Each structure stands twice: as C-alpha cells, then as structure tokens.
C-alpha cells in the first residue's frame, strides 16, 4: 500500500466505467478539492494505461503523467485489466498527529476510488483531494505481493526545483530540465511566485521507497 502525494462514510456515488480497451481513450474520474481550486483528473490511454492530470486555479501543473506499478506479471493496470466502479465520498473531521506543533489538524477532503480486476487479482486506486494537496495510493486487495512503482510526474513547465539530499545541502535550485540521474524526495517546485508544489510519499507498507529519475532536457520525473 502506498501513497504518492503533495502532502496524503458520507455520500457515495457509483458510476459504471468502460473496460480499458486498446482502441478507446476514456476519462475514468475527476475529483475536485473542497474549495474547488484543485482538479484531479484520471484517464486511460488507448493502451489502457491510467494517467493523471493536476490543475490548480485553472493552471495545469502536471500533465499526462503515468500511474501504476510493475509486478512479476507486468504493468498494473493495463489494457488487460477491467475497470470497475467509481465510488465518491466526502470527509470532514480532525486528525490528531502523534507529534508536531499542533495537537489537532482539520482533515477535510473529497475522495474517490476505482477498482481494477484481472482474473483473481483486484487492485483499488484511491484518490483524495484536499484544499492544499492531492494524494493517491494503490490498495492491493488480492493477488499481488511484489511490485515496483512506475508512476511519474510530468510537469507542465520547466519549473525551478529543490530536492532533499540527506544530511548534505539540498540539491537546487535547478530547472527541471537540468536534472540528470537520481534525486530524492521531498521535492519542491516553483510554478510561480504564488504557487509551489511539493512531492513526497507516505504510508509505504511494501515496495521500494520513492526515488526520482530524470534525464537532462526533460521536465518529467520517473
């Protein structure tokens, strides 16, 4: 189980989704933050690969980015997997961290989930949209126990970025297109003077820790 995020019931709505057929592109789900400023869109390519796009205040900041993971049987999901139903919900409560500056933190988000099945394998993609961040994770319901993340972050511009670097000085500032090789999270990118993005992971129960890989000239982190 893994969350990839900028940070990471009540009313349910079910929508039947199409099969992830090779000759069709389809939008699987759209999810807005409670304040309506952030939009999370998940679609399927003609080859059945789920992709996501993130829009903030009408500006696309992440575009056509891949989602999924690689198991011993191949990429999950792909065109051979059947998309199930989308379930949407809303949550408003309080999170009580075990440490930090505040004993209580408001927890308000909109959520959606969609399951993918293939024979006896079932994987659920869970999405959350907060006012200050978007998160997703794969919940391994049945059949998979060994996998590696293949999701990527295809930034919509050549943003200036900084990266955590262990007990050394941070890497950056550097344009995304100048990064080459491996970079560690937390990663922060400046979209403009009023908008910064941070990418990190949490709640990792199995699989390898997040590590960015990039090629010079590209604004996509794999």
């Amino acid at each position: 189980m893994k969350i990839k995020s900028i940070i990471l019931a009540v009313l349910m709505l079910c929508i039947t989704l199409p099969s992830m057929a090779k000759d069709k592109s389809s939008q699987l789900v759209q999810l807005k933050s409670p304040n309506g400023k952030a939009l999370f869109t998940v679609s399927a390519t003609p080859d059945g690969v789920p992709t996501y796009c993130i829009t903030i205040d009408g500006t696309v900041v992440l575009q056509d980015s891949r989602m999924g993971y690689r198991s011993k049987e191949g990429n999950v999901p792909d065109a051979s997997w059947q998309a199930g139903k989308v379930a949407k919900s809303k949550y408003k409560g309080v999170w009580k961290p075990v440490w930090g500056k505040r004993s209580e933190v408001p927890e308000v988000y909109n959520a959606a989930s969609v399951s993918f099945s293939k024979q006896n394998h079932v994987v659920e993609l869970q999405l959350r949209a907060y006012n200050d961040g978007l998160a997703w994770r794969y919940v391994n319901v049945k059949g998979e126990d060994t996998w590696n993340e293949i999701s990527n972050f295809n930034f919509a511009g050549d943003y200036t970025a900084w990266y955590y670097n262990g007990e050394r000085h941070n890497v950056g500032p550097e344009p995304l297109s100048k990064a080459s090789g491996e970079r560690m999270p937390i990663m922060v990118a400046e979209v403009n003077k009023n908008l910064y993005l941070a990418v990190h992971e949490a709640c990792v129960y199995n699989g390898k820790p997040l590590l960015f890989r990039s090629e010079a000239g590209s604004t996509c982190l794999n």
Side-chain angles (χ1 to χ4, degrees), residues 168-218:
R168 301 171 293 275
H169 291 293
N170 292 336
V171 175
E174 66 177 6
L176 287 167
S177 62
K178 297 297 184 180
S180 180
E182 295 184 344
R183 297 286 188 273
M184 292 188 292
I186 300 172
M187 173 267 195
V188 175
E190 180 186 9
V191 177
N192 56 52
K193 294 301 180 181
N194 297 313
L195 179 59
Y196 289 76
L197 307 176
V199 182
H200 196 30
E201 67 178 350
C203 199
V204 182
Y205 290 100
N206 57 17
K208 296 180 180 179
L210 177 63
L211 187 65
F212 301 119
R213 294 178 176 84
S214 62
E215 295 182 4
S218 173

Side-chain angles (χ1 to χ4, degrees), residues 135-171:
W136 77 86
R137 67 179 176 182
Y138 315 105
V139 179
N140 182 354
V141 180
K142 182 179 180 181
E144 293 287 346
D145 57 6
T146 303
W147 55 278
N148 290 312
E149 180 76 56
I150 58 172
S151 298
N152 62 17
F153 304 87
N154 186 19
F155 291 90
D158 193 9
Y159 308 139
T160 299
W162 295 259
Y163 307 86
Y164 173 68
N165 194 30
E167 298 303 316
R168 301 171 293 275
H169 291 293
N170 292 336
V171 175

